[in-house]
């Protein structure tokens, strides 16, 4: 019986499904090397990098299509994106090692300026056991609520604009960090720096809230202000005189996004697990981060939802 006759009989074929096989190869290449997609049109490269872990969903879809097409070629080709995704993200499926020795626990949370229950959110954060608590989207109306609830266990705090830092340990040399994009006007202050006097020595704590991104037609992934702000933050980090740094913030992107390179190239992320933080109803991306310099993040995880549209992030750090 010829190969053509066998194919006609409904068995698996090595000649069908060439398009599916090609798509599988493209998915593998873009997942492994998102930098090959340029940012010149609509910042498509950054968009891909932001949601890169979700590229794995292409595998089961292509698998079903390959089976329906009875394509042995497509089934074999699917090994490539499966292996790439497993190599990049498989370890994140393992449970976080929360028992690892550490010296400092930090908490990062965008509390949402429209949070219907700021007091409940503050109580949840106060009971989390963190040494440092970094908050974004504070408002004049909710700031006193957080100050009152967090004060008993975190007596030291500083607020600059809409971002704040609460600490068990004394804070000194605190002040704003200018990360405002050039075209942004008004009362816009979303960065701060403070020296934390820990029992293990001083460290520089930064809290930052980078501008939001938008997906609009025909402009695409609107991240220009976010990228500019990341550049300003990166410059501040590079100029920091203390060796040890902890950055906590809503950076409005995942760490794979090339737009955050001025920051990510200088710090080590606490990125164990997927830890998607936004949106809270169905988290799609980790845009809230803890990062360090001259200190080691040993584990990180998300906390249960509060009244915010973000999930809180906790990280343990070895100094």
């Amino acid at each position: 019986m010829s190969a053509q006759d066998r194919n006609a009989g409904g068995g698996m074929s090595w000649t069908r499904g060439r398009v599916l096989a090609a798509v599988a190869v493209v998915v593998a290449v873009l997942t492994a090397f998102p930098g090959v997609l340029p940012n010149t049109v609509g910042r498509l490269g950054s968009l891909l990098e932001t949601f890169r872990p979700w590229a794995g969903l292409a595998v089961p879809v292509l698998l079903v299509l390959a089976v329906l097409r009875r394509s042995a070629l497509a089934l074999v080709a699917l090994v490539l994106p499966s292996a790439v995704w497993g190599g990049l993200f498989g370890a994140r499926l393992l449970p976080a090692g929360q028992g690892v020795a550490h010296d400092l626990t930090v908490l990062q949370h965008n509390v949402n300026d429209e949070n219907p229950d700021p007091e409940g959110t503050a109580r949840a954060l106060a009971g989390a056991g963190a040494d440092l608590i970094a908050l974004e989207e504070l408002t004049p109306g909710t700031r006193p609520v957080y100050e009152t609830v967090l004060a008993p266990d975190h007596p030291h705090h500083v607020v600059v604009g809409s971002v704040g830092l609460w600490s068990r340990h004394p804070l000194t040399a605190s002040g704003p960090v200018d990360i405002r994009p050039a075209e942004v006007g008004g009362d816009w202050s979303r960065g701060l720096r403070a020296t934390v006097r820990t029992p293990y020595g001083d460290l520089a704590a930064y809290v930052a809230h980078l501008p939001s991104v938008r997906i609009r037609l025909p402009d695409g992934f609107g991240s220009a202000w976010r990228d500019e702000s990341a550049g300003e933050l990166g410059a501040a980090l590079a100029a920091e005189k203390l060796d040890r740094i902890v950055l906590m913030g809503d950076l409005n992107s995942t760490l794979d996004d090339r737009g955050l390179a001025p920051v990510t190239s200088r710090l080590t992320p606490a990125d164990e697990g997927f830890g998607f933080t936004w949106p809270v109803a169905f988290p799609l991306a980790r845009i809230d981060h803890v990062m360090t310099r001259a200190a080691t993040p040993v584990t990180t995880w998300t906390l249960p939802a509060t009244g915010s549209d973000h999930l809180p992030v906790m990280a343990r750090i070895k100094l």
Side-chain angles (χ1 to χ4, degrees):
M1 181 183 292
S2 68
Q4 184 175 5
D5 291 336
R6 287 194 296 271
N7 291 342
M12 285 290 175
S13 169
W14 290 96
T15 58
R16 287 194 295 259
R18 292 176 181 174
V19 172
L20 291 176
V23 171
V25 172
V26 170
V27 169
V29 170
L30 291 179
T31 303
F33 307 106
V36 302
L37 192 63
N39 253 354
T40 51
V41 179
R43 285 184 165 81
L44 292 179
S46 285
L47 179 61
L48 170 64
E49 289 160 345
T50 297
F51 298 104
R52 185 159 69 140
W54 294 98
L57 291 179
V59 173
V61 174
L62 291 172
L63 175 62
V64 170
L65 295 175
V67 171
L68 293 175
R69 192 75 176 91
R70 294 185 174 88
S71 171
L73 179 64
L75 288 174
V76 172
L78 280 173
V79 172
L80 188 57
S82 300
V84 168
W85 192 93
L88 289 172
F89 304 112
R92 298 190 184 185
L93 297 174
L94 300 176
Q98 295 188 22
V100 178
H102 62 282
D103 301 311
L104 197 71
T105 302
V106 304
L107 191 161
Q108 147 63 26
H109 193 30
N110 179 326
V111 295
N112 187 359
D113 57 10
E114 297 180 351
N115 190 326
D117 184 20
E119 183 173 353
T121 297
R123 293 190 184 282
L125 302 180
D131 298 297
L132 300 178
I133 299 177
L135 304 182
E136 299 83 44
E137 294 200 15
L138 296 168
T139 67
T142 61
R143 173 178 169 177
V145 175
Y146 291 101
E147 290 175 334
T148 299
V149 175
L150 297 178
D153 289 330
H154 301 82
H156 312 283
H157 83 280
V158 57
V159 175
V160 173
S162 60
V163 299
L165 176 67
W166 276 259
S167 174
R168 295 186 191 275
H169 309 301
L171 301 176
T172 64
S174 61
V177 176
D178 186 5
I179 59 173
R180 180 201 300 258
E183 295 183 3
V184 175
D187 185 15
W188 198 99
S189 185
R190 291 166 41 166
L192 70 80
R193 180 233 181 254
T195 297
V196 185
R197 312 300 298 269
T198 81
Y200 312 97
D202 291 356
L203 65 84
Y206 284 76
V207 182
H209 184 193
L210 302 190
S212 300
V213 299
R214 297 288 186 267
I215 301 176
R216 299 188 181 95
L217 295 176
D219 299 327
F221 195 63
S223 63
W225 284 359
R226 194 278 319 274
D227 295 352
E228 184 181 350
S229 189
E232 296 296 331
L233 178 58
L237 295 170
E240 175 57 53
K241 291 181 170 53
L242 288 179
D243 289 335
R244 291 191 293 202
I245 294 175
V246 175
L247 167 66
M248 299 154 283
D250 174 3
L251 304 187
N252 265 305
S253 190
T254 67
L255 299 181
D256 290 322
D257 188 338
R258 70 195 71 177
L260 296 187
V263 176
T264 57
S265 63
R266 293 182 168 93
L267 301 177
T268 300
D271 62 355
E272 185 177 34
F274 286 105
F276 298 143
T277 62
W278 178 90
V280 70
F282 187 83
L284 294 171
R286 176 188 292 196
I287 64 175
D288 299 272
H289 301 285
V290 175
M291 307 181 72
T292 65
R293 186 181 78 184
T296 304
V298 292
T299 187
T300 183
W301 67 100
T302 57
L303 297 180
T306 66
S308 173
D309 57 342
H310 294 239
L311 291 176
V313 173
M314 291 275 285
R316 289 184 170 132
I317 297 169
K318 185 70 177 174
L319 299 178

